Amino acid sequence: MNLEEQHIFSQLKLAIASKFLENNSASKTIEDWRGDDIIAFQEDLFSKVKARVSEKWFYTYIKNEAKKLPRIDMLNLLSNYVGYQNWNDFKAHHKTSTQIKTHKKAFSKYLWILLIVPCALLAFSIINTSYNYEFCFYDSIKNEPIKSTILNIKVLKNGQSPIHQHTDSLGCFNYETDEKDITFIVESPYYKTDTIVRKHNSGKNKIIKLKADDYALMLNYYTNKNIKEWKKHREKLNTIFSDNAEIYQFFENSDFVEIYSKQEFIQKLTIPTRSLKGMKILDKKEIDGKIVKLKFIIN
């Protein structure tokens, strides 16, 4: 890692130690932690962001001088642990004097060129700009982050093989490129495959909602006798639908419409019949966080 990355990562380690010491006792210097201190930190991390780091990882990146930064998903987790949205958010709040000096040096370096050669402005305009894309995926019905399932991402580039990525433990994915737009395919055994096309928009996180493949999900619960998860799924559906929800099923090439009660529809979603495989949500209306109207069709 370069000096700038090394400095900001050291700031992150200081922030981690400070956060941990709010409710725990240990050395103020994180590099001095060992044994019980590391175990206590693992538990505190899990209680706050539902993820752990291994002892080997701790020794590699915290106690020793690592040659490169940890994976971005781990940096996102640790940044979240100390109160930031992700690693980019942490970096944005910890700009160093090194950056400021670099900018001043760069300006003075090119000042004489700007004064003598006006065409230097053209040279600046063709310098490649890097764009950072960040996306977080939500279940379209539950309106919750998809954290329990890892989503596979295939970034498509003209004339090149796809670049394979995956979501992190927060259900998010980020990608840096010099292109102003991005096209990628999202795949998962339990969510319907979707192709996303987006243009860069100020680098902020974008929420993308995916449609669950309830047939695959329910089939997994049934074949693995996962009754606990099946019951949790039913309970969740029960909380997100209003008791008086209006649910309509439309049919292709027909004026016939079938009306379901809340419980009838939940029963339909939690029994793995093949009809679920072709289900497509046409319209959804929510009031106070609960679905009051739903229209769907089965292809």
Side-chain angles (χ1 to χ4, degrees):
M1 66 181 88
N2 58 39
L3 290 175
E4 190 61 36
E5 291 173 334
Q6 190 176 34
H7 178 84
I8 296 179
F9 186 57
S10 68
Q11 292 296 309
L12 178 60
K13 290 197 290 185
L14 289 173
I16 291 169
S18 177
K19 184 68 178 178
F20 176 74
L21 291 171
E22 288 178 3
N23 299 300
N24 297 273
S25 177
S27 170
K28 292 184 179 180
T29 305
I30 194 172
E31 288 84 0
D32 293 339
W33 293 359
R34 60 182 68 247
D36 292 342
D37 297 330
I38 297 174
I39 293 172
F41 167 66
Q42 290 172 321
E43 294 303 318
D44 195 48
L45 180 66
F46 183 80
S47 70
K48 290 181 172 60
V49 298
K50 302 305 180 205
R52 285 191 173 92
V53 295
S54 68
E55 187 172 350
K56 179 180 178 182
W57 185 96
F58 190 90
Y59 271 83
T60 300
Y61 291 102
I62 302 298
K63 291 184 70 66
N64 297 320
E65 191 73 32
K67 294 182 179 180
K68 61 179 182 179
L69 285 172
R71 295 199 325 264
I72 187 66
D73 58 326
M74 298 308 300
L75 290 170
N76 286 339
L77 278 171
L78 294 171
S79 298
N80 192 237
Y81 172 73
V82 298
Y84 293 84
Q85 186 176 3
N86 53 34
W87 173 237
N88 284 333
D89 186 25
F90 184 86
K91 288 195 296 183
H93 287 81
H94 290 78
K95 290 185 179 295
T96 66
S97 58
T98 304
Q99 288 177 302
I100 297 171
K101 290 177 180 178
T102 300
H103 294 160
K104 289 182 177 179
K105 183 177 180 181
F107 178 76
S108 61
K109 178 180 179 180
Y110 290 106
L111 181 60
W112 67 274
I113 301 177
L114 292 172
L115 293 172
I116 298 174
V117 188
C119 66
L121 292 172
L122 180 61
F124 281 109
S125 68
I126 62 174
I127 293 176
N128 288 333
T129 303
S130 180
Y131 300 96
N132 187 46
Y133 295 89
E134 295 184 83
F135 302 98
C136 292
F137 300 92
Y138 278 57
D139 187 297
S140 64
I141 293 292
K142 299 177 183 177
N143 201 31
E144 291 182 342
I146 302 172
K147 295 182 179 180
S148 59
T149 299
I150 294 178
L151 304 175
N152 296 314
I153 312 291
K154 287 198 298 188
V155 181
L156 306 180
K157 297 176 72 69
N158 291 333
Q160 299 182 33
S161 300
I163 297 173
H164 295 269
Q165 303 276 354
H166 58 78
T167 52
D168 58 26
S169 58
L170 299 176
C172 301
F173 139 78
N174 65 68
Y175 182 72
E176 191 170 331
T177 178
D178 57 3
E179 297 179 2
K180 289 186 177 181
D181 50 45
I182 183 172
T183 301
F184 59 91
I185 298 172
V186 189
E187 296 176 318
S188 166
Y190 308 121
Y191 285 87
K192 295 181 179 179
T193 299
D194 200 358
T195 300
I196 310 297
V197 180
R198 291 287 188 274
K199 291 187 178 297
H200 187 264
N201 182 19
S202 73
K204 294 183 178 179
N205 278 2
K206 289 187 177 180
I207 303 299
I208 295 177
K209 295 188 177 182
L210 299 180
K211 297 174 183 176
D213 188 338
D214 283 291
Y215 175 75
L217 187 64
M218 288 299 103
L219 197 58
N220 176 61
Y221 292 163
Y222 268 70
T223 55
N224 291 288
K225 296 182 173 60
N226 196 340
I227 302 302
K228 181 180 178 181
E229 291 300 323
W230 177 80
K231 287 182 177 179
K232 283 172 61 177
H233 187 67
R234 283 185 67 96
E235 290 168 1
K236 184 60 184 178
L237 290 171
N238 191 56
T239 61
I240 64 177
F241 280 92
S242 168
D243 289 339
N244 299 315
E246 301 173 12
I247 303 169
Y248 304 93
Q249 179 179 352
F250 293 83
F251 297 83
E252 287 187 313
N253 304 317
S254 173
D255 294 328
F256 180 72
V257 177
E258 188 168 353
I259 302 175
Y260 288 84
S261 69
K262 169 183 173 178
Q263 293 306 323
E264 287 172 338
F265 185 66
I266 290 175
Q267 183 73 5
K268 185 178 185 69
L269 286 183
T270 52
I271 295 178
T273 59
R274 287 192 174 275
S275 63
L276 285 179
K277 203 163 189 177
M279 180 178 290
K280 180 181 179 182
I281 304 300
L282 300 176
D283 187 35
K284 183 181 70 167
K285 181 179 179 182
E286 295 182 28
I287 296 179
D288 296 330
K290 287 186 178 290
I291 297 173
V292 297
K293 183 179 289 187
L294 186 74
K295 297 178 181 179
F296 70 96
I297 191 171
I298 293 179
N299 297 320

